Amino acid sequence: MAYGPWIGNLKVNGRGGNYGTVKLLLDETMTGENPTRLGITVEIAGPGMPPDAFEVELFTNLNRRDFVKTHEPLADSGGPTSYWMPLRMSFLGRSFDNLVFTTEVPVTKCGAYRISARYRMSGTDTWWWHNDFAPRPNDRLQRDCAVVVSPAKAARSRLYEANALTVEALAGGSYENRSTLDDFLSIHDFDGFNPFQLTYVNNELGFNTLWLMPVFPNTQWRWDRARWQWASNDNPGSPYSSRDYWSINRWLADNAAPARALELFRMLFDEAEAVDLDVFIDLAFNHAGRDVIYGAGAVDLGFCTMQDEEQWIREHHPAWCTRGTAFVDGHSVPYYREPAGSDFECAVWAPTDRLNEHVWDDANVDWFFGDYAALGPKPGRAADYWGNPVSHYDPKGNAEDESDLFYTDLAVQAETEKLWQYFGYILPYWIEKSGGKLAGIRADFAQGLPNQLWEYIVNRTRKARWDFIFLAEVLDPDVIQYRLNRVFDVLTTKDHHLYRQEEVRMSDLFASLEQESTLFGGEALVMHNGTSHDEGGNADKWAMAARYAVTAAMYGCPMVFMGQPLGLADKLPFRDSWANMYRAWSDEIPEREAVGRMYSRINKARETTAELREPKRYFLNLSGGGFHEEVFSVARWKDEVETDAVTLVFVNLNVHHGNAGTFIIPRAIRLSGNYQVRNLVADDPHRQLWGAPRSAEALYDDGILVVFTLPNEVQYLKLEPA
């Protein structure tokens, strides 16, 4: 009987590797002689056959980020400068009729990687690949395992988002009243109104990361659907539709000069470094404005001459743009799997492949990154140009699909490969322009790019700065969120509404956090927030501080928008009007400083208490069973040698009155001896709260009584050996 090949049951650290995801944190300055290691096993069919009849190899780009390429032919793998490496696996044992092979790989470099495996009969040339087989008959073919190695500091990020045109704008709400980048600086603020600066973000509120909304020039045009014509887009227009990825918006300079804007941009990074504040910028890579130009980066890459730097890409390089929908015999025919052949063929707005589920009138270039499975609308969400629902079936896939296998040639076509290189150069360019200080990005509509391109961008950027952090906006269904989790360090939560609701309950928060852990894995970093530039907040400053205390108590990245600590319920419009925060800064607002001090205490507790940044958690029940629905309650701990470092977090979710309850501490948390307790966010965080120490057995048996005298009260109770 002829041999029947099969390879499968790929496992990484004991977990299923077929479309699996491994999330790791790494400090490259501390890898030393004891790096984190991945143990990998795979099975091959071998009934009655000896293991030396086969050669089995792991195939991966793990640790190879410094050799990243848009595409590497299989024949070029395995060399000293190759991006992809085959690693020989050794025989481990048998599993029924299958042979099990294993290897161990150290993890030494941050990046976005993939793992597959292959095997062949000894002495032959034919390789059988893990991705050529289904795990079981009639299943889909197996796919690669993703390994996301993130900078360890990502778990310490506490983000404050700001719109540089708005954060310190003067009264009036017009172009002349806008704020500029000098408003972030301590000694170069020239308008005489200076309630905000970088030290406010860091020293007064305790955030360690400033997320700037887009700072690039935005498009000057938008499509007016009512009049079916192009219209001006400068009041101020969306910054998420860029005109030039390679310069700073002149509106961000006090004198409206591009050179001055770049100078202030650099000064901002210098001062941010001086106060130990990381700075992220915000980018939309999926789409741009109709008038997007080549820019300085294209000149550096040799894609255009310096004389052509200001030319519109859609007119001179339409193959970089997606072909739009055409009308044939009265019907619309989408062509989102093809590049445009001319300026006229370019899609009118982006994202073209979503077939009008999203219509951003000033996003009039949709970049063509290749033909891949996840292109296409979400099932049942397509519409025509007028918003009428349409039925659309694409046999190649849709937005909720990722059938692309391990080895891809997405970047083989010359024009597509150039576009990948163009986008892969943007972040290294700005790292250099910032003096090496740019620390991360928030990627707008991150699902608008194929994972393989994000992998290239991540690894290309990490060659320039190894601890660069990638935060993805992904607000689509679970399968799309999971896909982006396979390349990004941090993802946004879909459940941001929970963190601004007055009526939110413990079971709501529990269900959301558990669902995220189930979807992404317990080691995945999720950014939790109640406000953003897209999400309005709640005018109750103390309620929002309490909701922030919930996010800061969990593994992940807590975040606020600039108006949240000031009690602004409005998300502050940034596209259709020149919004400002003048009154929020200048009016006499009771308790503004007290609320700011509470954010500072929460952030300091998170910074100084390691267990609050660890994945381990246990949501606490009342002594009588079940949750206290009006009290968020969780135990956070870090494994120690004999006992655990433990902080118990309680947040009164009631916005009107106090609360109380006795909560049980599970024995899964190791306690020993006697303990005292401090509230890390109290006026005096050093004061011991119990009249006498309590024994571990008493804590297990009797639980802990928590009393809130105020609505929105927060207690971070640190258990300390007495």
Side-chain angles (χ1 to χ4, degrees):
M1 179 183 292
Y3 174 73
W6 181 84
I7 181 172
N9 285 337
L10 178 69
K11 292 186 178 180
V12 182
N13 285 354
R15 299 181 182 179
N18 177 18
Y19 203 52
T21 303
V22 177
K23 306 282 281 195
L24 299 170
L25 295 175
L26 179 69
D27 182 346
E28 289 193 16
T29 68
M30 303 289 288
T31 52
E33 298 180 358
N34 264 324
T36 299
R37 293 180 175 273
L38 296 180
I40 302 159
T41 59
V42 72
E43 297 180 17
I44 65 171
M49 304 179 73
D52 59 6
F54 303 98
E55 299 172 21
V56 183
E57 292 181 340
L58 190 72
F59 197 78
T60 182
N61 58 350
L62 184 65
N63 301 321
R64 305 296 293 178
R65 62 129 196 264
D66 293 341
F67 305 103
V68 63
K69 300 176 180 67
T70 53
H71 174 77
E72 182 173 82
L74 185 59
D76 293 345
S77 64
T81 61
S82 297
Y83 186 38
W84 293 92
M85 299 295 290
L87 304 173
R88 184 60 60 92
M89 304 183 77
S90 58
F91 178 65
L92 179 65
R94 293 183 178 271
S95 176
F96 299 98
D97 286 340
N98 292 337
L99 304 177
V100 183
F101 287 77
T102 186
T103 190
E104 194 174 76
V105 185
V107 180
T108 59
K109 291 185 180 293
C110 293
Y113 305 112
R114 286 178 284 155
I115 287 176
S116 187
R118 64 182 185 178
Y119 83 109
R120 66 183 177 185
M121 287 188 167
S122 299
T124 67
D125 295 327
T126 301
W127 289 100
W128 293 300
W129 289 81
H130 175 261
N131 306 88
D132 293 335
F133 298 93
R136 290 168 295 276
N138 302 318
D139 282 355
R140 70 185 309 164
L141 298 182
Q142 295 171 129
R143 292 172 283 179
D144 53 293
C145 179
V147 180
V148 180
V149 187
S150 302
K153 73 172 188 177
R156 300 193 298 271
S157 296
R158 306 179 301 276
L159 293 96
Y160 177 99
E161 183 191 8
N163 182 346
L165 291 172
T166 301
V167 68
E168 202 178 89
L170 299 173
S174 66
Y175 169 79
E176 291 77 13
N177 308 124
R178 74 192 187 282
S179 59
T180 51
L181 289 175
D182 61 281
D183 289 313
F184 287 76
L185 307 177
S186 59
I187 59 174
H188 295 281
D189 192 340
F190 301 110
D191 58 17
F193 179 64
N194 193 28
F196 169 88
Q197 52 189 270
L198 294 178
T199 51
Y200 166 79
V201 176
N202 190 317
N203 296 344
E204 295 187 37
L205 296 183
F207 292 92
N208 62 6
T209 306
L210 172 66
W211 155 12
L212 287 175
M213 287 178 64
V215 295
F216 302 146
N218 55 283
T219 179
Q220 301 171 69
W221 299 95
R222 63 179 173 84
W223 182 251
D224 186 335
R225 279 179 286 166
R227 295 181 174 84
W228 210 249
Q229 64 185 21
W230 295 107
S232 178
N233 186 57
D234 58 2
N235 196 35
S238 173
Y240 292 96
S241 293
S242 297
R243 183 178 188 272
D244 180 6
Y245 290 107
W246 313 94
S247 69
I248 303 300
N249 191 339
R250 65 181 183 85
W251 292 347
L252 294 175
D254 50 329
N255 64 356
R260 173 64 172 165
L262 179 57
E263 178 187 13
L264 289 170
F265 184 72
R266 288 170 167 159
M267 291 170 65
L268 184 153
F269 277 92
D270 289 342
E271 188 160 315
E273 181 183 53
V275 299
D276 200 23
L277 185 68
D278 279 348
V279 179
F280 288 12
I281 58 173
D282 204 337
L283 283 169
F285 278 7
N286 167 263
H287 51 268
R290 174 177 180 246
D291 52 353
V292 63
I293 64 173
Y294 281 115
V299 177
D300 290 352
L301 293 169
F303 295 162
C304 74
T305 65
M306 191 174 295
Q307 290 72 29
D308 291 333
E309 181 179 332
E310 296 288 328
Q311 298 295 327
W312 288 15
I313 290 177
R314 64 181 294 134
E315 292 180 346
H316 293 265
H317 227 119
W320 283 9
C321 306
T322 302
R323 183 180 177 185
T325 297
F327 290 93
V328 180
D329 298 328
H331 298 282
S332 60
V333 180
Y335 291 104
Y336 52 78
R337 293 189 179 275
E338 301 177 22
S342 66
D343 177 21
F344 178 77
E345 282 190 350
C346 292
V348 176
W349 54 64
T352 307
D353 60 299
R354 293 306 174 95
L355 294 187
N356 310 307
E357 177 193 346
H358 304 288
V359 175
W360 304 316
D361 295 331
D362 51 1
N364 308 124
V365 161
D366 184 281
W367 300 111
F368 184 73
F369 295 119
D371 183 2
Y372 54 99
L375 278 173
K378 297 201 291 280
R381 299 293 287 272
D384 62 19
Y385 272 9
W386 297 274
N388 304 307
V390 297
S391 176
H392 178 77
Y393 172 71
D394 187 334
K396 286 191 172 183
N398 60 62
E400 297 187 6
D401 181 28
E402 191 180 38
S403 298
D404 304 292
L405 297 183
F406 169 73
Y407 217 77
T408 176
D409 60 357
L410 279 177
V412 160
Q413 297 299 319
E415 292 305 323
T416 303
E417 184 168 21
K418 287 180 180 179
L419 185 62
W420 281 35
Q421 292 168 351
Y422 182 83
F423 278 91
Y425 182 49
I426 291 175
L427 296 176
Y429 177 91
W430 285 110
I431 289 172
E432 188 275 327
K433 292 297 182 185
S434 67
K437 300 177 181 69
L438 177 62
I441 65 160
R442 180 264 191 183
D444 184 76
F445 194 65
Q447 63 266 49
L449 279 67
N451 267 27
Q452 293 91 336
L453 174 53
W454 275 125
E455 177 189 294
Y456 172 71
I457 291 172
V458 168
N459 292 340
R460 174 76 176 82
T461 303
R462 292 254 169 84
K463 288 178 63 178
R465 178 167 177 168
W466 72 266
D467 61 349
F468 197 90
I469 296 172
F470 287 82
L471 162 64
E473 180 208 29
V474 192
L475 302 177
D476 272 328
D478 289 355
V479 290
I480 298 176
Q481 287 199 311
Y482 181 80
R483 181 168 73 241
L484 271 295
N485 183 52
R486 288 166 53 81
V487 283
F488 274 85
D489 304 309
V490 187
L491 264 71
T492 50
T493 178
K494 288 194 302 182
D495 293 337
H496 44 75
H497 59 281
L498 295 177
Y499 300 98
R500 58 180 176 270
Q501 286 180 0
E502 289 192 357
E503 300 303 321
V504 70
R505 292 295 178 258
M506 174 62 191
S507 56
D508 300 326
L509 296 167
F510 168 79
S512 172
L513 292 165
E514 287 293 283
Q515 191 274 338
E516 289 173 355
S517 181
T518 300
L519 176 62
F520 301 130
E523 295 82 15
L525 292 168
V526 178
M527 185 192 80
H528 296 110
N529 62 296
T531 57
S532 73
H533 64 273
D534 280 331
E535 308 298 337
N538 186 313
D540 187 333
K541 297 186 290 296
W542 288 110
M544 292 307 292
R547 302 301 182 266
Y548 179 76
V550 173
T551 70
M554 300 308 300
Y555 183 69
C557 301
M559 171 260 175
V560 300
F561 189 47
M562 57 189 182
Q564 179 173 328
L566 301 175
L568 293 181
D570 192 350
K571 64 183 180 181
L572 297 170
F574 60 88
R575 171 179 165 170
D576 299 318
S577 63
W578 293 90
N580 71 78
M581 295 169 60
Y582 182 80
R583 291 192 61 184
W585 290 116
S586 58
D587 287 359
E588 290 293 329
I589 300 177
E591 300 181 320
R592 180 168 56 199
E593 292 184 1
V595 170
R597 287 194 296 272
M598 178 52 70
Y599 280 97
S600 178
R601 291 171 186 166
I602 294 168
N603 283 328
K604 183 176 181 180
R606 182 175 178 84
E607 175 66 26
T608 58
T609 311
E611 57 264 30
L612 295 177
R613 305 187 305 272
E614 291 284 315
K616 294 179 181 297
R617 69 193 191 195
Y618 197 108
F619 296 102
L620 300 176
N621 287 322
L622 290 165
S623 57
F627 292 138
H628 191 313
E629 288 291 356
E630 292 189 347
V631 177
F632 178 77
S633 51
V634 66
R636 305 283 281 111
W637 75 92
K638 177 180 175 63
D639 289 340
E640 300 289 350
V641 176
E642 295 180 355
T643 60
D644 295 329
V646 181
T647 297
L648 309 175
V649 175
F650 302 95
V651 180
N652 185 10
L653 302 175
N654 194 293
V655 300
H656 301 296
H657 57 70
N659 251 313
T662 299
F663 296 85
I664 294 300
I665 300 176
R667 291 183 180 267
I669 302 172
R670 297 176 303 166
L671 301 175
S672 178
N674 296 320
Y675 290 88
Q676 259 290 356
V677 69
R678 296 183 293 119
N679 182 4
L680 301 178
V681 298
D683 292 341
D684 180 3
H686 303 291
R687 184 171 70 90
Q688 295 182 338
L689 302 183
W690 292 335
R694 299 181 61 188
S695 70
E697 286 304 313
L699 290 172
Y700 287 138
D701 293 342
D702 303 332
I704 182 169
L705 172 65
V706 177
V707 178
F708 296 113
T709 59
L710 297 171
N712 305 308
E713 190 175 339
V714 178
Q715 297 184 23
Y716 279 30
L717 302 183
K718 173 69 174 177
L719 295 182
E720 295 182 320

